Amino acid sequence: MKYLLIFLLVLVIFIISITLGAHNDQTVTFNYLLAQGQYRVSTLLATLFAAGFILGWAICGLFWLRVRVSLAHAQRKVKRLQQQLGQAEETVTASPVPAVKE
């Protein structure tokens, strides 16, 4: 349900940007670091929206990957500690010395 709402929000933003861009056919000068160019407002709006969307997904994907790697490492550590705990319990219960007083 959460992902559906996010998808609908992105879809609404994309439709609004296309609608605004379709009604603005004027040419603007866009200055970027190395040069400048003449672009239509609709093309510029769609390109920058797509670039921001892709950049946002890439950043979120990197954070998600970092969390997944951390989770896998923690699960391996928990499994190893459980095995060590099981081995320690086996040595305590199987001790050769009787625990009876005489």
Side-chain angles (χ1 to χ4, degrees), residues 22-91:
H23 291 298
N24 294 316
D25 288 332
Q26 63 193 133
T27 304
V28 295
T29 302
F30 183 68
N31 294 319
Y32 44 96
L33 284 176
L34 301 176
Q36 71 181 29
Q38 297 283 337
Y39 300 104
R40 289 186 337 172
V41 172
S42 60
T43 305
L44 190 60
L45 187 63
T47 303
L48 292 177
F49 177 76
F53 187 75
I54 290 170
L55 182 64
W57 272 102
I59 291 171
C60 287
L62 289 174
F63 279 116
W64 178 80
L65 185 62
R66 191 177 101 193
V67 167
R68 292 295 298 178
V69 168
S70 176
L71 178 63
H73 178 69
Q75 286 176 339
R76 279 195 309 264
K77 190 173 180 179
V78 165
K79 187 176 180 179
R80 187 178 67 235
L81 289 172
Q82 284 176 342
Q83 287 176 351
Q84 288 176 355
L85 182 63
Q87 289 174 354
E89 287 177 353
E90 286 177 5
T91 57

